[in-house]
Amino acid sequence: QKEVEQNSGPLSVPEGAIASLNCTYSDRVSQSFFWYRQYSGKSPELIMSIYSNGDKEDGRFTAQLNKASQYVSLLIRDSQPSDSATYLCAARNDYKLSFGAGTTVTVRA
Amino acid sequence: GAVVSQHPSWVICKSGTSVKIECRSLDFQATTMFWYRQFPKQSLMLMATSNEGSKATYEQGVEKDKFLINHASLTLSTLTVTSAHPEDSSFYICSARPVLGKGKYNEQFFGPGTRLTVL
């Protein structure tokens, strides 16, 4: 079983819609969780971090964490074409990050 | 703040040669740097953790004699791919964790990556 699993993509949403990304992790001792955005040929860019159960909002992005269910999600509201990218979920344990395979999102204009 | 650079951004080399990739934290000190490899359409895979002044810790399946890591200062780590072969062609990305590892600074900051092509 992979440490971090993401819902398979690709995910295509119309401009202005909500994109919903899901991630589960297997290691219960994981301490914090991150969502990275990666454009093709570029390195990952951190967009959200979350450490506590519940929701965390930052602009058009909302991350949700449920440690009991070992589940992390990311909502992108009012999706824009510039949001088209691969989104990587990562779990941190003892300063190491384990990444999911990524979900590719395409926002249709 | 929290800028990490990598050099070179891309490199093409012949099979059997060695290639050195530098990772620098430009505006912070990093006791720990991480080296990742990413093959096309795949996620990032941690290769090794580089600690300033000590030996790197390699992940299972990563050959330490092939991928030499040196972390000589708090702002510089280098990865040398020795006797490179075509299967080593990949996107190599480093990240750095600031010395002050609390709160916001628990995150790792990624470099822009180095595209290695071995002919």
Side-chain angles (χ1 to χ4, degrees):
Chain A
Q1 181 186 6
K2 292 182 180 178
E3 290 188 41
V4 179
E5 299 208 41
Q6 296 184 235
N7 54 325
S8 59
L11 178 65
S12 179
V13 298
E15 186 174 358
I18 295 175
S20 177
L21 307 172
N22 301 315
C23 171
T24 58
Y25 60 95
S26 61
D27 191 346
R28 284 195 171 272
V29 301
S30 295
Q31 298 142 349
S32 46
F33 306 87
F34 306 89
W35 284 99
Y36 289 86
R37 177 174 61 198
Q38 187 176 26
Y39 293 112
S40 181
K42 303 295 184 181
S43 69
E45 170 193 9
L46 180 67
I47 54 172
M48 288 288 285
S49 59
I50 187 165
Y51 309 96
S52 305
N53 279 328
D55 296 357
K56 179 181 177 182
E57 186 174 316
D58 184 359
R60 296 185 294 110
F61 300 98
T62 300
Q64 299 174 319
L65 173 60
N66 183 324
K67 291 186 178 181
S69 300
Q70 296 177 237
Y71 172 87
V72 191
S73 68
L74 179 70
L75 296 177
I76 307 173
R77 291 182 300 281
D78 188 23
S79 296
Q80 302 296 309
S82 59
D83 294 326
S84 298
T86 297
Y87 289 81
L88 303 172
C89 173
R92 185 178 69 84
N93 184 2
D94 195 24
Y95 305 116
K96 286 186 181 180
L97 287 178
S98 296
F99 284 87
T103 301
T104 298
V105 174
T106 300
V107 180
R108 308 186 304 270
Chain B
V3 178
V4 177
S5 70
Q6 278 184 246
H7 178 80
S9 55
W10 60 270
V11 57
I12 301 172
C13 70
K14 292 182 179 179
S15 184
T17 60
S18 294
V19 175
K20 179 186 283 189
I21 302 170
E22 292 186 349
C23 176
R24 292 180 185 273
S25 55
L26 299 184
D27 53 359
F28 64 95
Q29 293 182 325
T31 53
T32 307
M33 291 184 173
F34 303 87
W35 287 97
Y36 296 86
R37 180 168 53 183
Q38 186 177 36
F39 292 108
K41 303 294 186 184
Q42 296 185 25
S43 192
L44 277 74
M45 295 300 296
L46 179 65
M47 299 175 66
T49 302
S50 167
N51 296 293
E52 187 266 339
S54 63
K55 291 183 179 180
T57 303
Y58 291 82
E59 295 301 300
Q60 190 173 7
V62 178
E63 301 175 56
K64 62 180 182 180
D65 294 330
K66 181 172 181 62
F67 298 99
L68 301 179
I69 292 173
N70 183 282
H71 193 158
S73 76
L74 289 174
T75 59
L76 173 64
S77 176
T78 60
L79 168 68
T80 300
V81 183
T82 62
S83 187
H85 288 94
E87 57 266 29
D88 298 322
S89 298
S90 188
F91 192 41
Y92 291 85
I93 307 172
C94 74
S95 70
R97 187 174 73 89
V99 170
L100 297 177
K102 293 185 178 181
K104 175 180 179 180
Y105 296 103
N106 269 325
E107 287 95 2
Q108 295 178 20
F109 298 94
F110 284 84
T114 296
R115 179 79 55 191
L116 170 63
T117 302
V118 184
L119 302 176

